[in-house]
Amino acid sequence: MSTLPLPSPDGGRPAVRMQWLTCALDGRDHAVVDHDPASGAHLSACAKTVWAASLASPPAARCPDCRDAVGETAATDRRTRVLARLRGRRAA
């Protein structure tokens, strides 16, 4: 899970802090911008409700709608490869 600031409309201070979180339902990483502590649901930048998968799981493919909403390109997709999943990831 990574935290990045969303750019503000005036180019100044970031408007919202978001986190990339893997959804347990569709298996994709979504840019989460809001959290409802009562239900445990998260609202993503693509306006979908995200239910968090295990936070110990490696990053998945990012949601294309969220990626477009935050201004990322497809080249910045950080999906782990099959070999990396089999070997495991070292803690940073």
Side-chain angles (χ1 to χ4, degrees), residues 28-51:
R28 293 198 173 266
D29 280 358
H30 291 273
V32 173
V33 294
D34 195 18
H35 169 68
D36 180 16
S39 69
H42 303 273
L43 178 65
S44 68
C46 66
K48 293 180 183 170
T49 301
V50 175
W51 298 96

Side-chain angles (χ1 to χ4, degrees), residues 81-89:
R81 305 284 189 260
V82 173
L83 187 58
R85 289 181 189 164
L86 292 174
R87 284 190 287 182
R89 298 186 63 158

Side-chain angles (χ1 to χ4, degrees), residues 9-77:
D10 60 358
R13 196 163 182 205
V16 177
R17 291 201 56 86
M18 67 166 188
Q19 296 179 340
W20 287 95
L21 190 64
T22 304
C23 180
L25 300 177
D26 66 5
R28 293 198 173 266
D29 280 358
H30 291 273
V32 173
V33 294
D34 195 18
H35 169 68
D36 180 16
S39 69
H42 303 273
L43 178 65
S44 68
C46 66
K48 293 180 183 170
T49 301
V50 175
W51 298 96
S54 170
L55 297 179
S57 61
R62 290 191 172 180
C63 167
D65 294 332
C66 286
R67 196 170 44 215
D68 291 342
V70 299
E72 280 191 359
T73 62
T76 58
D77 193 4

